[in-house]
Amino acid sequence: MKKFLQDIAFGLCLIIIVWGAYELIYSRTTKSSYSYKYQYVQTHRNDIKVLLMGNSHMENGVNPYLMGDSIFNFASSGRWIYYDDLLIQEFVPQMQNLKMIILALGYAIPLTNYHNHEIKDMAPQYIYFYANQMHKFYDVFPDNIIHSSALLSGVDILSPYVPQCDSLGYDPSLGQSDDWKNIHNVKKTMISDDKKFSQDTLECKEHILNIAKICYQHNVQLIVITTPCSNYYLENVTEEGLKMTRDIIQRVQKCYPIEYRSYLSDSDFRADSLYFNSSHLNSIGTDLFSLKLARDIGLIK
Amino acid sequence: MLFNSIEFAIFLPLVFAIYWLLNKHLRWQNLFVVLASYVFYGWWDWRFLILIAFTSFCSWGSGLLINQSPKPKRWLTLNIVVNLLILGVFKYFNFFVGSFCDLFGISNSLVLQVILPVGISFYTFQALSYSIDVYRKRIAPTRDVVAFFAYVSFFPQLVAGPIERATNLLPQFERQRTFNYEEAVDGMRRILWGLFKKIVVADNCATYVDQVWNNYANESGSTLALAAILFAFQIYGDFSGYSDIAIGSAKLFGIRLKDNFLTPYFSRNVAEFWKRWHISLNTWFVDYVYIPLGGSREGRWKTIRNTFVIFLLSGLWHGANWTYVTWGLYHALLFVPLILLGRTKAYSGVATWKQIPQILLTFALVVLGWIIFRAPSISDAWGYICGMFQWGTLRSVYRFFIPSDLYIWPKNILILICICIEWFGRKKPHCLANIENLPLLKCRFLRILLYALAFISILFFRGGLHPFIYFQF
């Protein structure tokens, strides 16, 4: 038994050493979409006129190339509005030519519990990251999203695992991924229990209010949008949930001038063929939506 | 709890440690096996535990009653009826009622809202084999209820086999186990190989196969043919991988389970394939159905009849769907010429290079059968097969070798690695057995390094998560 346990311990040590070497040699040296976008906004802060913010619905669902010049997609998969708020606080005051921010507010965002996900220390970052990877191994959407916190902390540990975006921040790779592709499957975490999240809804409102305030102070137009979703997703959308989102926007609108456009059930996006999965557009859907959005808000005629 | 899950990676070492700490107290050790197995099984749904406990108790009780009663057949029949009734209600009720209603055009209002308990067919057959063996006096009935419960519920083979016999497994629970270093190392190797087959080969194939099956009507013939071949590797990697992990895990506990697969895709005819594929189920049907019906002793026509019976039952055992029954029928039909020509026992030993044409022909026939098995319905199977042979299959066969064809190239290489390892290890009990005898791997530390690298490779090349196919049976 002793010999066997020694072998196991030795094998585990080897696994940890090889994994660590991989981490140091490859993971840490490979650029990710997150680090690329962060650096892009830092270096082009005076060139960008329109900034697209939000989560995967924006990152994979809006293509800046089709909307005009000086537009950058700064959205990231899995980002909760807390991080949009932090990034806007950090960058908007420095961006002298910024005219507009388009923020994607997914239907489930105000209803989703993303508490306790502010992780800035290295050790919890790693623990969360590997926990997240394990969740991926199970094909379960993680409860705590680390992506944006990794970006903010500068610990670029997600590099080899995250898809690479194009030069304007648009990431079409969701549509090529084998995983997650099932339009009929509406993930549990995308549709949350309306009754449970009053605290998060309040917090979400505070973040939007904060974003609206910064935009107002710096003379930047804020447009909040909800991207289109498939019929299968809409079957799970409740009136209470929609009302909660509308209420948040209306309360913010009482204080600051923000525009809200919901494309959630837009009649132009009812075909299944426009979707990658229940709530994400595929490349065809993205192109159509980008053009429609650009026309609606006056970026193109 | 899945074998390829984090829970199991924590569960197994924990159970291993406590199990060997209890080594001097056989009864407590067996009780712990039952407890661990019930935790493992209850991880899916604790309600299933009632069912498995009931099945175990009935079979254990029937064993004692068969031995003591002047009318043992009555108790055997009762136990068989009870077990098959449970299986029938949970697995086949909706199927038979639905089929009956479809046949006579009656509206079906008798649908039972029940979840199929994981692995019910496996442990029901295992429990049944005990009472039949007691009746046939092949084994003495056990009074040790804990050992019997451990026999039925032993977690490595509980949900997807191998279907063990009481004659092999039960005595192992009735005597003291001792830790054996070589056995444990071999068990770990087998787990590693099983994980490779499941996570790398099967799960990578599954992604492609599912994509093609979801849209088969619009795919080219060559794509359909390739997906059919990949499904053959998916189901093999999936099921034999599970068996390897089960056998390997059992070895860690000093328990030897029977082999379930012996490089079946190197078979030279269909009869040999069935001696190498899902051995524990096939031998079960042979021992408890085929031989009691007369086997091959009463002439060719009765042999053919008996073959049809066991293949139809085997098809039905796999699932409550006509596709499985048709799949069984298809294999029975493949057996007919072999019986008529007297070639059911034509081959012994392992295949050689010269026999590759026979191997390929057998493989092609098996792949065709897997299409029926994989299809959601008979009409889908037919549509798929027709699509596969449409004009363009041969014309675009070169696409097999193009790396960009739906990202299949890396998967082909992984399958190729698997085939090579299995081919060169086909004479051994499993392909990684005795690798310490290889000149380069005589050093213990080098071997451990190789295992560690193999484990990391599995994590890097893993496919998407797909449940074990045989869990549904």
Side-chain angles (χ1 to χ4, degrees):
Chain A
M1 177 68 93
K2 195 178 166 188
K3 194 178 165 190
F4 180 69
L5 293 178
Q6 278 174 351
D7 286 0
I8 295 286
F10 181 57
L12 284 175
C13 287
L14 285 173
I15 289 170
I16 291 167
I17 290 166
V18 174
W19 197 271
Y22 167 80
E23 182 88 31
L24 289 171
I25 296 163
Y26 183 69
S27 300
R28 298 289 197 98
T29 54
T30 310
K31 267 205 182 309
S32 69
S33 296
Y34 302 95
S35 58
Y36 168 76
K37 289 183 182 190
Y38 195 81
Q39 284 167 16
Y40 185 95
V41 177
Q42 268 184 332
T43 51
H44 294 81
R45 54 179 173 265
N46 292 329
D47 307 330
I48 297 169
K49 289 180 182 165
V50 178
L51 201 57
L52 309 177
M53 300 292 292
N55 56 15
S56 56
H57 299 271
M58 181 66 91
E59 185 181 30
N60 310 110
V62 180
N63 187 351
Y65 279 109
L66 301 172
M67 300 176 75
D69 297 328
S70 307
I71 303 174
F72 186 73
N73 192 331
F74 198 16
S76 294
S77 286
R79 183 191 286 161
W80 194 54
I81 196 153
Y82 167 82
Y83 293 104
D84 288 307
D85 186 5
L86 286 182
L87 290 167
I88 286 169
Q89 280 181 48
E90 183 181 346
F91 284 108
V92 170
Q94 305 170 28
M95 300 172 82
Q96 289 171 4
N97 292 315
L98 188 68
K99 300 282 178 240
M100 185 189 285
I101 287 179
I102 306 172
L103 173 71
L105 184 71
Y107 162 74
I109 292 289
L111 318 170
T112 310
N113 185 355
Y114 281 117
H115 269 298
N116 306 320
H117 62 303
E118 186 183 349
I119 313 140
K120 288 182 178 166
D121 298 328
M122 286 280 279
Q125 280 278 10
Y126 272 92
I127 293 164
Y128 263 70
F129 167 65
Y130 283 110
N132 189 11
Q133 281 302 302
M134 286 171 188
H135 275 294
K136 278 187 180 174
F137 193 72
Y138 283 115
D139 201 22
V140 174
F141 198 70
D143 294 330
N144 293 290
I145 307 294
I146 184 175
H147 301 176
S148 304
S149 57
L151 169 67
L152 287 173
S153 70
V155 182
D156 212 1
I157 53 174
L158 284 157
S159 325
Y161 306 98
V162 292
Q164 302 293 308
C165 63
D166 68 13
S167 61
L168 289 182
Y170 167 57
D171 182 0
S173 56
L174 183 72
Q176 289 168 6
S177 159
D178 287 341
D179 298 334
W180 215 36
K181 190 178 179 178
N182 183 358
I183 195 166
H184 304 281
N185 180 19
V186 180
K187 297 248 178 190
K188 199 174 64 182
T189 43
M190 292 184 200
I191 299 284
S192 302
D193 186 347
D194 301 345
K195 291 162 197 154
K196 275 167 61 182
F197 299 116
S198 56
Q199 176 61 33
D200 301 282
T201 310
L202 279 175
E203 219 180 280
C204 178
K205 192 199 91 179
E206 289 305 314
H207 290 304
I208 298 179
L209 202 62
N210 208 22
I211 291 168
K213 185 180 165 188
I214 297 166
C215 289
Y216 179 72
Q217 286 169 346
H218 293 87
N219 206 19
V220 174
Q221 186 187 358
L222 177 63
I223 300 173
V224 179
I225 63 162
T226 302
T227 54
C229 286
S230 71
N231 293 330
Y232 305 101
Y233 187 91
L234 290 178
E235 284 170 11
N236 293 277
V237 168
T238 63
E239 191 47 48
E240 290 83 1
L242 289 172
K243 187 174 173 296
M244 216 176 277
T245 309
R246 279 197 301 267
D247 284 352
I248 289 177
I249 299 293
Q250 278 166 8
R251 283 184 202 178
V252 177
Q253 278 171 334
K254 282 180 187 166
C255 308
Y256 300 103
I258 69 165
E259 194 179 329
Y260 177 60
R261 290 176 176 274
S262 177
Y263 295 93
L264 189 69
S265 54
D266 192 292
S267 56
D268 289 348
F269 298 93
R270 291 303 91 229
D272 288 356
S273 58
L274 299 176
Y275 289 91
F276 167 72
N277 63 19
S278 65
S279 62
H280 289 85
L281 293 163
N282 61 21
S283 55
I284 304 164
T286 296
D287 289 354
L288 285 175
F289 179 60
S290 304
L291 290 169
K292 181 173 174 115
L293 178 65
R295 273 191 215 104
D296 287 355
I297 59 176
L299 290 175
I300 54 173
K301 288 178 184 174
Chain B
M1 202 182 291
L2 297 170
F3 278 169
N4 53 337
S5 70
I6 304 301
E7 286 103 329
F8 189 72
I10 297 164
F11 174 83
L12 185 65
L14 202 69
V15 174
F16 174 83
I18 300 171
Y19 176 88
W20 287 113
L21 282 174
L22 295 169
N23 195 27
K24 286 180 183 164
H25 313 279
L26 182 64
R27 208 172 162 77
W28 283 105
Q29 200 182 37
N30 284 342
L31 195 63
F32 178 68
V33 169
V34 176
L35 182 74
S37 301
Y38 276 43
V39 169
F40 177 86
Y41 193 59
W43 210 261
W44 276 283
D45 193 327
W46 65 269
R47 289 170 298 181
F48 296 163
L49 294 175
I50 301 165
L51 212 57
I52 192 172
F54 181 72
T55 300
S56 305
F57 186 77
C58 285
S59 294
W60 174 74
S62 75
L64 292 176
L65 291 166
I66 287 166
N67 194 45
Q68 290 163 0
S69 168
K71 291 179 178 171
K73 200 168 188 176
R74 188 177 290 176
W75 293 110
L76 172 69
T77 312
L78 184 67
N79 186 46
I80 292 173
V81 169
V82 168
N83 275 294
L84 293 184
L85 202 66
I86 294 170
L87 188 63
V89 167
F90 280 92
K91 195 166 175 177
Y92 299 108
F93 182 82
N94 288 340
F95 168 67
F96 282 121
V97 171
S99 299
F100 181 82
C101 291
D102 287 347
L103 191 66
F104 294 102
I106 309 164
S107 69
N108 182 9
S109 54
L110 273 171
V111 176
L112 282 183
Q113 298 296 330
V114 288
I115 315 163
L116 179 66
V118 183
I120 187 170
S121 308
F122 287 92
Y123 67 72
T124 302
F125 270 43
Q126 191 159 313
L128 277 179
S129 79
Y130 167 76
S131 50
I132 300 170
D133 283 349
V134 169
Y135 176 76
R136 289 177 175 178
K137 310 261 182 233
R138 284 186 186 170
I139 188 171
T142 182
R143 293 194 167 275
D144 187 345
V145 69
V146 178
F148 187 79
F149 270 56
Y151 154 71
V152 177
S153 65
F154 186 44
F155 71 88
Q157 44 83 243
L158 173 60
V159 287
I163 303 167
E164 273 297 332
R165 301 294 178 80
T167 43
N168 175 50
L169 188 54
L170 192 54
Q172 296 188 66
F173 280 114
E174 289 175 326
R175 64 171 179 253
Q176 191 87 28
R177 273 87 62 182
T178 49
F179 182 82
N180 181 305
Y181 173 78
E182 278 75 26
E183 282 285 293
V185 169
D186 195 52
M188 290 298 285
R189 268 200 299 255
R190 200 134 188 193
I191 291 173
L192 197 65
W193 183 236
L195 286 173
F196 176 81
K197 285 200 277 189
K198 166 62 185 158
I199 297 174
V200 179
V201 176
D203 287 350
N204 273 308
C205 289
T207 310
Y208 179 83
V209 171
D210 290 349
Q211 257 180 293
V212 173
W213 266 99
N214 287 341
N215 192 28
Y216 76 86
N218 300 320
E219 297 289 1
S220 70
S222 61
T223 304
L224 296 181
L226 182 60
I229 292 168
L230 288 183
F231 179 69
F233 287 105
Q234 181 198 340
I235 195 165
Y236 174 65
D238 192 284
F239 193 20
S240 74
Y242 184 94
S243 293
D244 281 331
I245 300 169
I247 294 166
S249 303
K251 279 191 167 194
L252 295 178
F253 299 94
I255 302 277
R256 272 183 167 245
L257 300 180
K258 284 184 176 175
D259 275 318
N260 216 13
F261 291 87
L262 288 171
T263 55
Y265 290 153
F266 300 144
S267 303
R268 290 151 288 187
N269 66 21
V270 174
E272 191 188 9
F273 173 80
W274 281 105
K275 284 180 187 132
R276 292 171 171 272
W277 178 276
H278 203 175
I279 300 164
S280 64
L281 178 71
N282 302 325
T283 50
W284 198 101
F285 275 117
V286 168
D287 286 353
Y288 300 119
V289 181
Y290 183 75
I291 291 173
L293 284 174
S296 56
R297 290 163 303 186
E298 294 173 24
R300 281 183 182 169
W301 296 112
K302 281 205 171 171
T303 307
I304 291 171
R305 182 202 67 183
N306 297 343
T307 305
F308 270 84
V309 169
I310 62 163
F311 273 107
L312 288 174
L313 284 177
S314 173
L316 201 59
W317 177 91
H318 280 84
N321 193 328
W322 288 112
T323 51
Y324 298 121
V325 178
T326 313
W327 171 74
L329 186 70
Y330 167 78
H331 275 281
L333 287 170
L334 292 180
F335 249 79
V336 173
L338 297 174
I339 295 168
L340 293 175
L341 295 168
R343 292 186 63 83
T344 51
K345 292 173 185 169
Y347 296 107
S348 61
V350 294
T352 60
W353 289 100
K354 286 179 186 170
Q355 290 168 322
I356 283 180
Q358 289 103 303
I359 291 172
L360 290 177
L361 178 66
T362 309
F363 181 69
L365 292 171
V366 169
V367 166
L368 213 57
W370 287 136
I371 296 171
I372 305 166
F373 187 92
R374 170 66 177 76
S377 67
I378 304 281
S379 58
D380 285 313
W382 182 245
Y384 192 100
I385 292 167
C386 291
M388 212 166 71
F389 292 107
Q390 71 195 359
W391 168 244
T393 303
L394 289 175
R395 192 186 53 187
S396 56
V397 81
Y398 67 90
R399 290 179 67 204
F400 284 143
F401 305 102
I402 297 176
S404 62
D405 193 1
L406 276 170
Y407 315 108
I408 55 160
W409 195 240
K411 296 173 180 71
N412 286 346
I413 292 171
L414 294 168
I415 293 167
L416 212 61
I417 292 170
C418 179
I419 294 170
C420 289
I421 294 174
E422 293 238 314
W423 177 261
F424 290 109
R426 68 193 188 283
K427 289 177 186 166
K428 296 190 282 189
H430 66 95
C431 55
L432 295 187
N434 308 323
I435 60 166
E436 60 271 23
N437 296 336
L438 293 171
L440 274 174
L441 295 173
K442 286 210 185 291
C443 170
R444 181 176 152 214
F445 293 110
L446 266 183
R447 286 200 303 276
I448 298 169
L449 178 68
L450 181 77
Y451 301 146
L453 289 175
F455 181 75
I456 290 170
S457 314
I458 288 171
L459 295 181
F460 274 101
F461 294 111
R462 69 177 190 259
L465 184 96
H466 298 272
F468 286 96
I469 295 172
Y470 267 70
F471 275 13
Q472 60 185 304
F473 308 138

